């Protein structure tokens, strides 16, 4: 709509026409601003506004190997402690100016335990060396998306290694855990025109990307979402028994990142045998973190049932 107004403004020949178009454009912008302000207020009232905090992974002259040690400016730290809304601009415009560097000597060192880098791999010397070596020899990333020309031999090698680690038939890489959950959950709920919608049963403490995947499946395939109480297999069994839907999908984290507890996968696998549902287990937080032999939770339950 905005492009149409701008195009009309350029092609208008009479001054009166230009004024009318300009007035319509101004009304449109005012309407947009009003909607944006109201939407932001609504998100704030629902406590859904998220903030960006500018952090530094190192400080000049100080190189460390800890993935949970970071440096922040005093302004960022004050806003963080106060839980103030932010778009990451507390450090000031100079931080984003070309050729202007912040005085990093004033940064405050803090230890941050809320990252997902549980194994410290981002700061591991071998990982950093391998990344630098790969960038030198291969360049910065693939040339395009995997379906066009971005699926390299390195991607396939990683998929093969991960499949071997998990003891699975194969592996498919996604750029992020969010992308994986969005794709997997919606794909498992795709239906033909004459098929009834699927039913999704999700643990109440599943992390955000699983929740978003369920919501997208509901939007695109009319899937029905049932939330069972955290790790409550009796509640889940009650919901499963009441459902007459042919295709059922149960989705859970294996290790819940916020509470640190684990899903009862053995009980889930028994329910899977009884009710024949699809079971999706997100091991983003569990792989290599707990259970050293085997290396993941799902494989520990292979003896009870086939867990995908």
């Amino acid at each position: 709509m905005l492009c149409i107004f701008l195009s009309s403004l350029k092609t208008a020949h009479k001054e009166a026409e230009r004024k009318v178009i300009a007035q319509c454009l101004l009304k449109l912008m005012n309407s947009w601003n009003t909607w944006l302000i109201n939407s932001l207020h609504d998100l704030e009232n629902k406590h859904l506004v998220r903030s960006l905090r500018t952090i530094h992974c190192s400080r000049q002259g100080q190189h460390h190997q800890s993935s949970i040690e970071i440096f922040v400016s005093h302004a960022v730290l004050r806003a963080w402690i106060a839980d103030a809304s932010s778009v990451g601009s507390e450090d000031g415009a100079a931080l984003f100016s070309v050729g202007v560097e912040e005085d990093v000597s004033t940064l405050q060192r803090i230890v941050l335990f809320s990252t997902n880098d549980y194994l410290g791999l981002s700061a591991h010397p071998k990982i950093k060396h391998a990344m630098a070596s790969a960038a030198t020899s291969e360049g910065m990333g693939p040339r395009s998306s995997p379906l066009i020309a971005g699926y390299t031999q390195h991607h396939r090698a990683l998929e093969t290694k991960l499949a071997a680690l998990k003891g699975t038939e194969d592996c498919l890489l996604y750029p992020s855990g969010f992308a994986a959950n969005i794709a997997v959950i919606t794909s498992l709920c795709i239906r033909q025109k004459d098929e009834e919608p699927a039913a999704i049963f999700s643990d109440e403490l599943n992390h955000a990307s699983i929740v978003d995947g369920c919501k997208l499946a509901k939007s695109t395939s009319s899937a029905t979402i049932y939330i069972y109480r955290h790790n409550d297999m009796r509640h889940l069994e009650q919901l499963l028994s009441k459902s007459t839907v042919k295709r059922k999908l149960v989705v859970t984290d294996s290790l819940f990142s916020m509470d640190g507890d684990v899903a009862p996968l053995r009980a889930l696998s028994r329910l899977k045998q009884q009710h024949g549902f699809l079971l999706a287990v997100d091991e983003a937080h569990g792989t290599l973190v707990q259970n050293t032999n085997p290396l993941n939770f799902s494989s520990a339950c292979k003896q009870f049932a086939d867990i995908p």
Side-chain angles (χ1 to χ4, degrees):
M1 182 65 71
L2 181 59
C3 293
I4 294 175
F5 275 116
L6 292 175
S7 177
S8 301
L9 192 60
K10 290 181 180 179
T11 57
H13 298 291
K14 297 181 180 179
E15 185 65 25
E17 292 179 351
R18 289 178 175 270
K19 288 183 178 180
V20 172
I21 295 172
Q23 289 175 354
C24 292
L25 181 59
L26 182 60
K27 289 182 179 180
L28 177 63
M29 294 303 297
N30 288 336
S31 298
W32 164 259
N33 290 336
T34 300
W35 173 86
L36 182 60
I37 292 172
N38 291 337
S39 297
L40 288 174
H41 284 322
D42 185 48
L43 289 174
E44 288 179 349
N45 292 334
K46 294 178 179 178
H47 304 287
L48 294 176
V49 174
R50 297 295 179 261
S51 296
L52 297 174
R53 311 294 183 190
T54 307
I55 69 168
H56 300 254
C57 296
S58 63
R59 187 162 60 183
Q60 188 174 11
Q62 295 187 20
H63 301 285
H64 55 85
Q65 302 300 327
S66 173
S67 61
I68 62 172
E69 183 181 78
I70 64 171
F71 300 91
V72 298
S73 69
H74 291 282
V76 168
L77 186 58
R78 286 194 298 270
W80 208 332
I81 294 174
D83 196 25
S85 298
S86 168
V87 294
S89 58
E90 288 93 352
D91 283 336
L95 182 62
F96 307 99
S97 301
V98 177
V100 177
E101 296 186 359
E102 186 184 22
D103 182 9
V104 294
S105 62
T106 63
L107 296 178
Q108 175 72 40
R109 173 185 174 275
I110 64 174
V111 177
L112 190 65
F113 290 100
S114 59
T115 72
N116 292 334
D117 188 15
Y118 310 120
L119 305 178
L121 295 180
S122 67
H124 195 286
K126 289 185 177 180
I127 300 295
K128 293 194 292 186
H129 176 75
M131 291 290 292
S133 177
T136 301
S137 61
E138 304 290 339
M140 289 302 295
R143 280 73 178 167
S144 62
S145 67
L147 293 178
I148 299 176
Y151 186 69
T152 69
Q153 77 274 21
H154 303 294
H155 291 88
R156 185 54 196 162
L158 178 57
E159 289 176 339
T160 302
K161 292 286 188 181
L162 290 174
L165 172 68
K166 292 291 183 178
T168 58
E169 181 180 348
D170 210 336
C171 170
L172 180 63
L173 287 177
Y174 289 93
S176 67
F178 176 83
N181 278 323
I182 290 292
V184 170
I185 295 174
T186 54
S187 296
L188 292 176
C189 293
I190 291 176
R191 65 188 179 98
Q192 302 299 323
K193 290 183 179 180
D194 57 342
E195 284 186 303
E196 63 178 342
I200 303 175
F201 301 83
S202 178
D203 190 288
E204 66 176 342
L205 293 188
N206 280 339
H207 63 242
S209 61
I210 293 179
V211 175
D212 288 339
C214 294
K215 289 180 178 179
L216 186 59
K218 178 181 179 180
S219 175
T220 58
S221 302
S222 301
T224 304
I225 303 173
Y226 298 93
I227 307 299
Y228 63 90
R229 291 187 292 270
H230 179 52
N231 282 345
D232 189 335
M233 295 298 97
R234 181 174 296 181
H235 186 213
L236 174 58
E237 186 170 16
Q238 290 173 353
L239 294 175
L240 288 168
S241 299
K242 291 179 181 179
S243 175
T244 59
V245 175
K246 184 177 180 180
R247 191 192 313 184
K248 302 180 181 69
L249 170 64
V250 174
V251 57
T252 180
D253 281 304
S254 60
L255 174 61
F256 291 87
S257 61
M258 298 301 291
D259 291 63
D261 56 349
V262 299
L265 292 185
R266 288 180 175 83
L268 279 169
S269 64
R270 295 190 189 99
L271 285 178
K272 181 178 185 294
Q273 288 180 323
Q274 296 172 18
H275 295 272
F277 54 76
L278 298 171
L279 177 57
V281 180
D282 186 328
E283 294 208 82
H285 306 290
T287 300
L288 296 175
V289 174
Q290 196 166 339
N291 284 12
T292 56
N293 187 22
L295 294 173
N296 55 86
F297 290 102
S298 295
S299 59
C301 300
K302 292 287 186 180
Q303 54 182 309
F304 296 97
D306 180 23
I307 297 179

